[in-house]
Amino acid sequence: MLEQILTLLPQVIFDGFVLGFVYAMVALGYTMVYGVLELINFAHSEIFMIGAVVGVEVFRYLAPSVGNGFLLLLLALVLGGVIAGLTAILVERFAYRPLRKRGTTNRLVPLITAIGVSFILQDLVRLIEGLWHNEFFLRMRTVEGLESSFSLFGGSVFIQTKSLILIGVSILMLVGLTYLVNRTKLGVAIRAVAQDLQTASLMGIDPDRIISRTFLIGGSLGGVAGVLFALQYTTVSPYVGFLPGIKAFTAAVLGGIGNIPGAMLGGLVLGQLENFFGTYLPILTNGNFGTEYKDVVAFLILILILLFRPQGLLGQIVREKV
Amino acid sequence: MRKVGLLVAGAAALGMALGQANVIKIATQSPLSGPQAALGEQIKLGAELAVEEAKARFKALGFDLVLVPYDDQANPDVGVANANRIINDPDILGVVGHLNSGVAIPSSEVYARVGLVMVSPANTNPRVTDRRLPNVNRICGRDDVQGPVGAEYAFNNLKVRNVFVIHDKTAYGQGLAEEFKKRFEALGGKAVAFVGTEEQSNFVPIINQIRGARPVPQLIYFGGIYSQIGPFVKQLRERGVRIRLMGGDGLDSSEFVRLAGKDNAAGTFYTTVAGPVSAFPKAKAVAQKFKQKYGKDMEGFGIYAYDSANVILTALENAIKAAGGKKPTREQVAQEVRKVKMEGLTGAIEFDDKGDNKKAKYFVMQVASTGNWADNKLIRVIEMAAPGAK
């Protein structure tokens, strides 16, 4: 048993990182919107799904004319990010802003709106794909160059180029986001709005514009994550966002919601936990608990962590609202 | 008081308007939207073709024959809700369906309340007929034979001794995988693992388990539907795992090749209870008509749905004759279905006391490397009686 665990371990850790970075990128969208509006934007999982669908469509239509796989992926990432980001802006403009303008103080109202928007987006994509291709499960087209792979340590770790791309792109985006929030004017404005919307608007910041941009940035990150997810796991449906969305939200809470490095860390921890138990549960329990319990165990551990650290792993650096 | 009276009169008038004396409806229930629509549509179209062909015959008897398709979305709740609507339409005298055993089992209990007959072209879970409901019949085989047929082929012909078993945790997939495992172990083989998963996209944890399993499995058996097995196979092959794969009739759709990729799908074995058109010489002409009418190839479940509808239509004709030309009751139709003896496209159809076809056919198939579903190789046909109810 121990030998079996050890031989698989390097592979499990690598795959856990791949999954973890997907969660981390999606978690950033949750955490940014929460940081600014204290709103849990459940429609974010559908923004992620839209990115994945755009990725599949870009590959479907442009692969014959764009020979280079990496160029094609770049196009898909840009288009997926832009379309997902614009969708996020639209969602904010038509679903959340009217509630804010009306001064709805009940926190449940925007939450329910978010859930409603999420269903609308799912069925909208289902309708469009149904009319367009009469397909429900969209398959990512295989492109030469991205599919190559190699193994390390005498075949014990199997690594695909596309997994490395996923990790690379997500690290780039995370670093870029950290820079944007901490070092640019827009970042200062976002942080100001996050700290106090009213006071920020007195200081000459247009809160609507800043909120809109926050949704654009969070949405694009979700869209890019969606494209990479589609490339990695190959099959996408209009409902593919739900579980990764819930898990990314959990990751954001685990890291300390509103906290950007926290969301990253939370995503990675959750990815590792899920992949670890997904692979090892049957081995550890002698086949009594199968892979289907991986989420149960991962979430149980999360509950335990949060019991002892309710503010999340990096929660202490979240600034209290004054 | 007067209001109540009006309401009652209105309801009575409505009831009379709904129950038209000269209209007979046949319902189908199968997934027409969602991930399994490709299989469900075959059921609807197969039954529709049979009903179209019978329209003139029923006109001569004085009845308008209508087919009413319902979409159960492969979801038990939707199936039961539809079933309640179906039993409230007194013109519906028979149901062709469902695709999924998990939907058929609760829905058939609703039909049973009014004695409405159901003939299934596709439900393979043993419990569908083992409950001995007088209104439930199927013309296809059962998982407690389909699973063992696969196990025997794997053990005796492929000489497999170690197998990795996966299932999708549904009544269909898990039941099939359990029956496979039981027979495979009885033959002397070993199931290295038995895991369930509801996952639709990320199969990496299971693939890692397969790579780490000792002894190394020579075959992976997956009890589930193509929508899940397709992406699984793609990821499995991408990771360089070349172990052979086998599944049940949930794999029997050309969608499997599209999702898995032509090269990854090639060589996959599957057992099915609904053979391809090529396995039934008599189906050729009907399949051509089907293609002309709907612009799609007739696949296994389409042929079985055609036969299922014809079973109901034959029983209806007999019941009308027995009732002296009047519209029969639902119970009468259900009783006549059990008495039907006919030669369908798929062979002889005759029900035992549980509602199973006395001799159902089971097919072992292999996915072709051309990517064309119609090219799949028929390896063997086994005709076997259903086991007695447990």
PDB file of all heavy atoms in Angstrom, chain A residues 64-83:
ATOM      1  N   PRO A  64      -8.267  25.293 -38.394  1.00  0.00           N
ATOM      2  CA  PRO A  64      -7.827  25.018 -39.762  1.00  0.00           C
ATOM      3  C   PRO A  64      -7.017  26.160 -40.369  1.00  0.00           C
ATOM      4  O   PRO A  64      -6.110  25.906 -41.154  1.00  0.00           O
ATOM      5  CB  PRO A  64      -9.153  24.850 -40.526  1.00  0.00           C
ATOM      6  CG  PRO A  64     -10.163  24.548 -39.487  1.00  0.00           C
ATOM      7  CD  PRO A  64      -9.727  25.271 -38.259  1.00  0.00           C
ATOM      8  N   SER A  65      -7.323  27.419 -39.984  1.00  0.00           N
ATOM      9  CA  SER A  65      -6.601  28.517 -40.625  1.00  0.00           C
ATOM     10  C   SER A  65      -5.360  28.951 -39.835  1.00  0.00           C
ATOM     11  O   SER A  65      -4.402  29.439 -40.415  1.00  0.00           O
ATOM     12  CB  SER A  65      -7.535  29.715 -40.840  1.00  0.00           C
ATOM     13  OG  SER A  65      -8.307  29.938 -39.688  1.00  0.00           O
ATOM     14  N   VAL A  66      -5.400  28.772 -38.521  1.00  0.00           N
ATOM     15  CA  VAL A  66      -4.210  29.119 -37.728  1.00  0.00           C
ATOM     16  C   VAL A  66      -3.433  27.838 -37.477  1.00  0.00           C
ATOM     17  O   VAL A  66      -3.860  26.971 -36.734  1.00  0.00           O
ATOM     18  CB  VAL A  66      -4.611  29.758 -36.377  1.00  0.00           C
ATOM     19  CG1 VAL A  66      -3.366  30.149 -35.600  1.00  0.00           C
ATOM     20  CG2 VAL A  66      -5.499  30.956 -36.609  1.00  0.00           C
ATOM     21  N   GLY A  67      -2.286  27.727 -38.131  1.00  0.00           N
ATOM     22  CA  GLY A  67      -1.538  26.474 -38.062  1.00  0.00           C
ATOM     23  C   GLY A  67      -0.888  26.243 -36.707  1.00  0.00           C
ATOM     24  O   GLY A  67      -0.877  25.140 -36.185  1.00  0.00           O
ATOM     25  N   ASN A  68      -0.385  27.328 -36.118  1.00  0.00           N
ATOM     26  CA  ASN A  68       0.408  27.185 -34.902  1.00  0.00           C
ATOM     27  C   ASN A  68      -0.487  27.034 -33.669  1.00  0.00           C
ATOM     28  O   ASN A  68      -1.316  27.893 -33.389  1.00  0.00           O
ATOM     29  CB  ASN A  68       1.300  28.432 -34.774  1.00  0.00           C
ATOM     30  CG  ASN A  68       2.295  28.285 -33.653  1.00  0.00           C
ATOM     31  OD1 ASN A  68       1.969  27.721 -32.601  1.00  0.00           O
ATOM     32  ND2 ASN A  68       3.492  28.770 -33.866  1.00  0.00           N
ATOM     33  N   GLY A  69      -0.312  25.944 -32.933  1.00  0.00           N
ATOM     34  CA  GLY A  69      -1.150  25.680 -31.772  1.00  0.00           C
ATOM     35  C   GLY A  69      -1.033  26.748 -30.700  1.00  0.00           C
ATOM     36  O   GLY A  69      -2.024  27.111 -30.064  1.00  0.00           O
ATOM     37  N   PHE A  70       0.175  27.276 -30.510  1.00  0.00           N
ATOM     38  CA  PHE A  70       0.378  28.249 -29.437  1.00  0.00           C
ATOM     39  C   PHE A  70      -0.283  29.579 -29.775  1.00  0.00           C
ATOM     40  O   PHE A  70      -0.886  30.222 -28.922  1.00  0.00           O
ATOM     41  CB  PHE A  70       1.875  28.438 -29.178  1.00  0.00           C
ATOM     42  CG  PHE A  70       2.515  27.196 -28.643  1.00  0.00           C
ATOM     43  CD1 PHE A  70       3.123  26.294 -29.493  1.00  0.00           C
ATOM     44  CD2 PHE A  70       2.459  26.900 -27.286  1.00  0.00           C
ATOM     45  CE1 PHE A  70       3.686  25.126 -29.009  1.00  0.00           C
ATOM     46  CE2 PHE A  70       3.018  25.743 -26.797  1.00  0.00           C
ATOM     47  CZ  PHE A  70       3.628  24.845 -27.656  1.00  0.00           C
ATOM     48  N   LEU A  71      -0.191  29.962 -31.053  1.00  0.00           N
ATOM     49  CA  LEU A  71      -0.856  31.185 -31.499  1.00  0.00           C
ATOM     50  C   LEU A  71      -2.365  31.048 -31.331  1.00  0.00           C
ATOM     51  O   LEU A  71      -3.064  31.957 -30.863  1.00  0.00           O
ATOM     52  CB  LEU A  71      -0.503  31.447 -32.964  1.00  0.00           C
ATOM     53  CG  LEU A  71      -1.022  32.760 -33.541  1.00  0.00           C
ATOM     54  CD1 LEU A  71      -0.384  33.940 -32.823  1.00  0.00           C
ATOM     55  CD2 LEU A  71      -0.736  32.833 -35.037  1.00  0.00           C
ATOM     56  N   LEU A  72      -2.848  29.863 -31.698  1.00  0.00           N
ATOM     57  CA  LEU A  72      -4.282  29.585 -31.582  1.00  0.00           C
ATOM     58  C   LEU A  72      -4.734  29.711 -30.125  1.00  0.00           C
ATOM     59  O   LEU A  72      -5.758  30.320 -29.819  1.00  0.00           O
ATOM     60  CB  LEU A  72      -4.554  28.179 -32.113  1.00  0.00           C
ATOM     61  CG  LEU A  72      -5.998  27.725 -32.155  1.00  0.00           C
ATOM     62  CD1 LEU A  72      -6.781  28.560 -33.143  1.00  0.00           C
ATOM     63  CD2 LEU A  72      -6.073  26.266 -32.558  1.00  0.00           C
ATOM     64  N   LEU A  73      -3.928  29.152 -29.231  1.00  0.00           N
ATOM     65  CA  LEU A  73      -4.279  29.202 -27.814  1.00  0.00           C
ATOM     66  C   LEU A  73      -4.276  30.646 -27.320  1.00  0.00           C
ATOM     67  O   LEU A  73      -5.157  31.062 -26.569  1.00  0.00           O
ATOM     68  CB  LEU A  73      -3.303  28.344 -27.000  1.00  0.00           C
ATOM     69  CG  LEU A  73      -3.580  28.350 -25.498  1.00  0.00           C
ATOM     70  CD1 LEU A  73      -4.935  27.751 -25.196  1.00  0.00           C
ATOM     71  CD2 LEU A  73      -2.506  27.592 -24.736  1.00  0.00           C
ATOM     72  N   LEU A  74      -3.292  31.417 -27.800  1.00  0.00           N
ATOM     73  CA  LEU A  74      -3.216  32.818 -27.399  1.00  0.00           C
ATOM     74  C   LEU A  74      -4.495  33.543 -27.820  1.00  0.00           C
ATOM     75  O   LEU A  74      -5.105  34.289 -27.046  1.00  0.00           O
ATOM     76  CB  LEU A  74      -1.993  33.471 -28.035  1.00  0.00           C
ATOM     77  CG  LEU A  74      -1.680  34.884 -27.527  1.00  0.00           C
ATOM     78  CD1 LEU A  74      -1.250  34.845 -26.076  1.00  0.00           C
ATOM     79  CD2 LEU A  74      -0.621  35.543 -28.386  1.00  0.00           C
ATOM     80  N   LEU A  75      -4.914  33.307 -29.071  1.00  0.00           N
ATOM     81  CA  LEU A  75      -6.156  33.902 -29.566  1.00  0.00           C
ATOM     82  C   LEU A  75      -7.332  33.493 -28.689  1.00  0.00           C
ATOM     83  O   LEU A  75      -8.175  34.324 -28.316  1.00  0.00           O
ATOM     84  CB  LEU A  75      -6.423  33.424 -30.996  1.00  0.00           C
ATOM     85  CG  LEU A  75      -5.787  34.230 -32.121  1.00  0.00           C
ATOM     86  CD1 LEU A  75      -5.980  33.510 -33.440  1.00  0.00           C
ATOM     87  CD2 LEU A  75      -6.427  35.609 -32.170  1.00  0.00           C
ATOM     88  N   ALA A  76      -7.390  32.198 -28.374  1.00  0.00           N
ATOM     89  CA  ALA A  76      -8.499  31.682 -27.566  1.00  0.00           C
ATOM     90  C   ALA A  76      -8.503  32.327 -26.184  1.00  0.00           C
ATOM     91  O   ALA A  76      -9.559  32.709 -25.662  1.00  0.00           O
ATOM     92  CB  ALA A  76      -8.412  30.161 -27.452  1.00  0.00           C
ATOM     93  N   LEU A  77      -7.304  32.471 -25.604  1.00  0.00           N
ATOM     94  CA  LEU A  77      -7.219  33.067 -24.265  1.00  0.00           C
ATOM     95  C   LEU A  77      -7.685  34.513 -24.295  1.00  0.00           C
ATOM     96  O   LEU A  77      -8.451  34.950 -23.432  1.00  0.00           O
ATOM     97  CB  LEU A  77      -5.774  32.988 -23.748  1.00  0.00           C
ATOM     98  CG  LEU A  77      -5.275  31.602 -23.354  1.00  0.00           C
ATOM     99  CD1 LEU A  77      -3.808  31.649 -22.985  1.00  0.00           C
ATOM    100  CD2 LEU A  77      -6.085  31.058 -22.190  1.00  0.00           C
ATOM    101  N   VAL A  78      -7.233  35.262 -25.325  1.00  0.00           N
ATOM    102  CA  VAL A  78      -7.615  36.673 -25.402  1.00  0.00           C
ATOM    103  C   VAL A  78      -9.124  36.796 -25.612  1.00  0.00           C
ATOM    104  O   VAL A  78      -9.820  37.493 -24.874  1.00  0.00           O
ATOM    105  CB  VAL A  78      -6.848  37.364 -26.551  1.00  0.00           C
ATOM    106  CG1 VAL A  78      -7.420  38.750 -26.799  1.00  0.00           C
ATOM    107  CG2 VAL A  78      -5.371  37.449 -26.218  1.00  0.00           C
ATOM    108  N   LEU A  79      -9.640  36.048 -26.600  1.00  0.00           N
ATOM    109  CA  LEU A  79     -11.072  36.142 -26.885  1.00  0.00           C
ATOM    110  C   LEU A  79     -11.909  35.647 -25.703  1.00  0.00           C
ATOM    111  O   LEU A  79     -12.901  36.270 -25.323  1.00  0.00           O
ATOM    112  CB  LEU A  79     -11.406  35.307 -28.121  1.00  0.00           C
ATOM    113  CG  LEU A  79     -11.350  36.063 -29.452  1.00  0.00           C
ATOM    114  CD1 LEU A  79     -11.535  35.095 -30.598  1.00  0.00           C
ATOM    115  CD2 LEU A  79     -12.433  37.139 -29.479  1.00  0.00           C
ATOM    116  N   GLY A  80     -11.498  34.529 -25.119  1.00  0.00           N
ATOM    117  CA  GLY A  80     -12.227  33.968 -23.974  1.00  0.00           C
ATOM    118  C   GLY A  80     -12.242  34.963 -22.831  1.00  0.00           C
ATOM    119  O   GLY A  80     -13.279  35.214 -22.217  1.00  0.00           O
ATOM    120  N   GLY A  81     -11.079  35.576 -22.553  1.00  0.00           N
ATOM    121  CA  GLY A  81     -10.982  36.548 -21.473  1.00  0.00           C
ATOM    122  C   GLY A  81     -11.853  37.766 -21.743  1.00  0.00           C
ATOM    123  O   GLY A  81     -12.593  38.224 -20.877  1.00  0.00           O
ATOM    124  N   VAL A  82     -11.786  38.276 -22.991  1.00  0.00           N
ATOM    125  CA  VAL A  82     -12.529  39.500 -23.319  1.00  0.00           C
ATOM    126  C   VAL A  82     -14.036  39.238 -23.248  1.00  0.00           C
ATOM    127  O   VAL A  82     -14.790  39.999 -22.619  1.00  0.00           O
ATOM    128  CB  VAL A  82     -12.135  40.012 -24.724  1.00  0.00           C
ATOM    129  CG1 VAL A  82     -13.110  41.073 -25.196  1.00  0.00           C
ATOM    130  CG2 VAL A  82     -10.714  40.548 -24.705  1.00  0.00           C
ATOM    131  N   ILE A  83     -14.490  38.152 -23.873  1.00  0.00           N
ATOM    132  CA  ILE A  83     -15.935  37.886 -23.895  1.00  0.00           C
ATOM    133  C   ILE A  83     -16.462  37.619 -22.486  1.00  0.00           C
ATOM    134  O   ILE A  83     -17.516  38.133 -22.093  1.00  0.00           O
ATOM    135  CB  ILE A  83     -16.255  36.726 -24.860  1.00  0.00           C
ATOM    136  CG1 ILE A  83     -15.954  37.177 -26.298  1.00  0.00           C
ATOM    137  CG2 ILE A  83     -17.719  36.307 -24.741  1.00  0.00           C
ATOM    138  CD1 ILE A  83     -16.144  36.128 -27.341  1.00  0.00           C
TER     139      ILE A  83
END
